[in-house]
């Protein structure tokens, strides 16, 4: 069975992405980056999801708090007023570029040629590194920047949620038989781990389940 590297954050999108990789016939190697994010509970969710869906789970420490520049890696307040225009302060500088580079290194080292990432360009918070153009260009880079690529074995970057709405993703979770309650999306959870219910991620998650007509298993404050 072919292996695929799946970037697994612990959120609903990455959970569905991992399940779709399995459905496509891949053995999942889940890569979770512990980047010092304030929503630490998502690392616990990633572990629970990996136990259900992955053959192997790697948690890689890379403390991006040393860089800062984001509400997720510094003391900048997480917005709670609703999803607005422009790129929000929860954008982590170059995060998906960094994460895909790490996944690419793991793929080349382990012999995998497929990388899955749960980015989404419809119901998202305006992040530039979630766009189809970004995914396509990184795939080109992966071929140019690696020994494997220049020797004629290209990598494929899969973004199966790219054109899905959050409602579509919620429906996929149900179709795949996933326990969405294992996942965590909140950017600013309470100390007991409950979703705040007001940040962009919570609003988009709740909107997705509501528009899908599905029961939302999330515990909001």
């Amino acid at each position: 069975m072919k292996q695929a590297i799946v970037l697994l954050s612990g959120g609903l999108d990455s959970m569905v992405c991992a399940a779709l990789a399995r459905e496509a016939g891949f053995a999942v190697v889940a890569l979770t980056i512990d980047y010092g994010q304030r929503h630490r509970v998502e690392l616990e969710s990633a572990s629970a999801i990996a136990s259900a869906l992955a053959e192997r789970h790697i948690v890689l420490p890379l403390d991006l708090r040393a860089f800062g520049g984001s509400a997720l890696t510094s003391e900048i307040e997480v917005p709670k007023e609703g999803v607005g225009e422009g790129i929000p302060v929860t954008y982590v500088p170059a995060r998906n570029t960094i994460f895909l580079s790490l996944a690419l290194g793991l793929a080349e080292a382990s012999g995998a040629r497929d990388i899955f990432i749960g980015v989404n360009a419809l119901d998202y918070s305006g992040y530039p590194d979630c766009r189809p153009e970004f995914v396509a260009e990184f795939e080109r880079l992966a071929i140019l920047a690696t020994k494997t690529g220049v020797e004629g074995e290209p990598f494929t970057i899969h973004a199966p949620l790219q054109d899905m709405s959050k409602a579509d993703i919620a429906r996929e979770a149900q179709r795949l038989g996933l326990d969405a309650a294992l996942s965590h999306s909140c950017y600013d959870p309470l100390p007991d781990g409950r979703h705040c219910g007001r940040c962009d991620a919570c609003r988009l998650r709740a909107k997705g389940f509501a528009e899908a007509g599905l029961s939302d298993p999330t515990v909001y404050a």
Side-chain angles (χ1 to χ4, degrees):
M1 181 182 291
K2 292 193 300 181
Q3 286 189 345
I5 310 303
V6 178
L7 283 165
L8 184 69
S9 68
L12 181 64
D13 293 0
S14 68
M15 182 187 200
V16 170
C17 191
L20 288 171
R22 278 175 59 98
E23 186 178 57
F26 290 99
V28 170
V29 177
L31 176 61
T32 299
I33 312 300
D34 177 357
Y35 62 97
Q37 57 270 54
R38 71 163 67 201
H39 47 311
R40 307 290 294 168
V41 65
E42 79 167 2
L43 298 173
E44 299 172 14
S45 293
S47 178
I49 294 166
S51 294
L53 299 176
E55 310 302 317
R56 182 183 176 202
H57 185 209
I58 298 170
V59 179
L60 187 67
L62 180 69
D63 196 344
L64 294 182
R65 289 177 298 182
F67 292 178
S70 168
L72 303 189
T73 56
S74 70
E75 297 305 314
I76 299 171
E77 188 175 349
V78 173
K80 302 288 181 67
E81 294 77 29
V83 181
E85 298 295 324
I87 300 172
V89 296
T90 49
Y91 164 72
V92 178
R95 180 175 62 179
N96 285 343
T97 306
I98 294 167
F99 287 7
L100 277 173
S101 297
L102 295 169
L104 177 61
L106 175 58
E108 185 168 35
S110 63
R113 298 294 175 264
D114 296 88
I115 299 169
F116 282 73
I117 183 170
V119 293
N120 169 258
L122 292 182
D123 287 343
Y124 76 121
S125 293
Y127 302 139
D129 53 0
C130 288
R131 297 173 297 162
E133 303 95 311
F134 166 73
V135 174
E137 289 302 314
F138 192 92
E139 186 173 273
R140 289 183 63 246
L141 172 68
I143 296 169
L144 294 171
T146 58
K147 175 179 183 291
T148 299
V150 299
E151 289 181 349
E153 294 186 53
F155 295 89
T156 301
I157 310 297
H158 302 263
L161 313 186
Q162 189 78 80
D163 299 317
M164 291 186 187
S165 68
K166 287 295 184 184
D168 293 333
I169 294 167
R171 292 188 192 100
E172 276 294 273
Q174 183 184 57
R175 182 187 69 80
L176 292 161
L178 301 176
D179 179 4
L182 290 179
S183 66
H184 180 90
S185 301
C186 181
Y187 290 150
D188 193 21
L190 273 67
D192 61 8
R194 285 181 295 162
H195 286 62
C196 76
R198 295 174 55 215
C199 70
D200 288 3
C202 282
R203 291 174 188 270
L204 290 170
R205 181 181 175 106
K207 176 174 176 278
F209 281 103
E211 291 184 350
L214 297 172
S215 176
D216 186 351
T218 311
V219 179
Y220 298 102

